[in-house]
Amino acid sequence: MNKNQTTYYMKNYLEIAESYKPYYDGQEKYYHNFLHAIWTVIKGLDVMKSFGLSERLKVIYAHAMSLHDAGHSNGEFEHDIDNVKKALIIFERYCKLPKESVDWKMARTIILATAAPYEKYQSLEEIVYYSGVPEEEFTNLQLLIEIARDVDHIGIIGIQNKDKRNQALVGLMRELLKRHSKKNLTGFIEQGTKHFFDGIHFYTDYMKEWAEENLEEAKKWQLDFSKEAIELASK
């Protein structure tokens, strides 16, 4: 990497994330807010340490996940791909990576790949293949997507601080209440929570180990707190 190519790399990953905070305006009381975005950056960097990934790949990841939920509808859109399309518009206008560079295309593809549920859209292999990046970057890009998906998947249950974890679940319930009545959501939440946990798939060994140690306790917490979270979200 020459000197000119390094000019857009910020040494401080939090500085990268903070530079995108304005694009989360109005999302503060919901789950898909800036706090969630910056958490996925920080947690993802922890996972990346276990792989010994390069500074360049960490920067690409930080730009992508800082913007992956920018402009989120916070429950108004029925399909998550519509939220992701909105985030991609913001990314294409405001991302600080050189437009159409390999790094820019990799970051854009990471955001695209966060649309859930994953099985509804292109396979991970197809997403990477049609990303427009050189073939020699396919392995790196797939790993970054796997890390992004793993971290995004535990965006509530992976939060260690109990108050912040509670706050995140309340924010999610606020989103769900935009499309479901309080009565219906309360009646469905136990079944929905069990379905979520039973369907979790992790890609990385790091997160698989985390799941072995923490997933059952996280499931119990969410089942225990969900009805209270709905009550708090409905006020």
Side-chain angles (χ1 to χ4, degrees):
M1 184 183 299
N2 63 43
K3 185 176 180 180
N4 289 335
Q5 287 175 310
T6 64
T7 56
Y8 64 88
Y9 287 143
M10 301 180 192
K11 293 181 180 179
N12 189 325
Y13 304 111
L14 293 181
E15 186 180 345
I16 293 173
E18 287 288 343
S19 71
Y20 297 120
K21 186 175 181 179
Y23 308 116
Y24 286 82
D25 187 44
Q27 298 173 220
E28 293 81 7
K29 67 178 182 177
Y30 298 100
Y31 167 54
H32 292 95
N33 58 19
F34 179 69
L35 291 177
H36 165 69
I38 201 169
W39 185 88
T40 63
V41 172
I42 294 169
K43 187 63 179 178
L45 290 169
D46 283 343
V47 179
M48 294 175 82
K49 287 178 186 177
S50 69
F51 290 96
L53 298 185
S54 69
E55 175 81 5
R56 170 180 166 258
L57 294 179
K58 292 175 182 176
V59 168
I60 292 169
Y61 175 88
H63 281 281
M65 295 309 285
S66 296
L67 281 169
H68 83 284
D69 277 328
H72 199 282
S73 71
N74 300 121
E76 292 181 7
F77 293 157
E78 184 175 354
H79 302 295
D80 192 41
I81 189 64
D82 294 322
N83 292 310
V84 169
K85 287 177 179 177
K86 201 170 176 183
L88 288 174
I89 291 171
I90 295 171
F91 171 87
E92 290 169 3
R93 289 177 180 171
Y94 302 112
C95 180
K96 295 173 177 61
L97 294 169
K99 193 164 187 177
E100 300 297 339
S101 66
V102 171
D103 294 5
W104 185 93
K105 290 178 181 178
M106 290 175 72
R108 185 187 185 282
T109 305
I110 293 167
I111 295 174
L112 177 63
T114 62
Y118 308 135
E119 62 271 12
K120 282 187 66 177
Y121 310 110
Q122 291 173 299
S123 69
L124 182 50
E125 291 73 21
E126 286 178 300
I127 291 172
V128 171
Y129 182 81
Y130 291 110
S131 64
V133 307
E135 189 173 351
E136 58 266 26
E137 294 285 3
F138 282 6
T139 299
N140 285 333
L141 179 54
Q142 180 161 336
L143 179 55
L144 291 181
I145 290 171
E146 289 174 351
I147 293 170
R149 284 182 167 185
D150 276 1
V151 170
D152 204 22
H153 224 44
I154 64 161
I156 294 179
I157 57 177
I159 299 172
Q160 290 182 305
N161 181 282
K162 184 177 180 180
D163 290 338
K164 291 181 178 179
R165 187 168 66 246
N166 288 354
Q167 182 182 353
L169 190 59
V170 171
L172 178 62
M173 296 308 171
R174 284 198 182 102
E175 296 183 14
L176 294 175
L177 284 167
K178 284 189 176 183
R179 290 188 289 110
H180 304 278
S181 69
K182 179 180 174 183
K183 180 180 178 181
N184 286 345
L185 184 58
T186 302
F188 172 76
I189 199 64
E190 182 173 347
Q191 177 186 345
T193 299
K194 289 178 179 178
H195 178 75
F196 168 76
F197 278 90
D198 291 344
I200 288 180
H201 165 76
F202 292 117
Y203 295 91
T204 62
D205 288 341
Y206 180 104
M207 207 58 72
K208 288 174 182 176
E209 291 175 8
W210 179 91
E212 288 182 5
E213 297 176 5
N214 299 284
L215 204 59
E216 281 303 314
E217 183 179 348
K219 181 178 180 180
K220 182 180 183 304
W221 163 78
Q222 189 158 322
L223 285 169
D224 289 345
F225 184 64
S226 285
K227 289 186 180 179
E228 182 179 348
I230 293 171
E231 290 293 329
L232 292 170
S234 64
K235 292 180 180 178

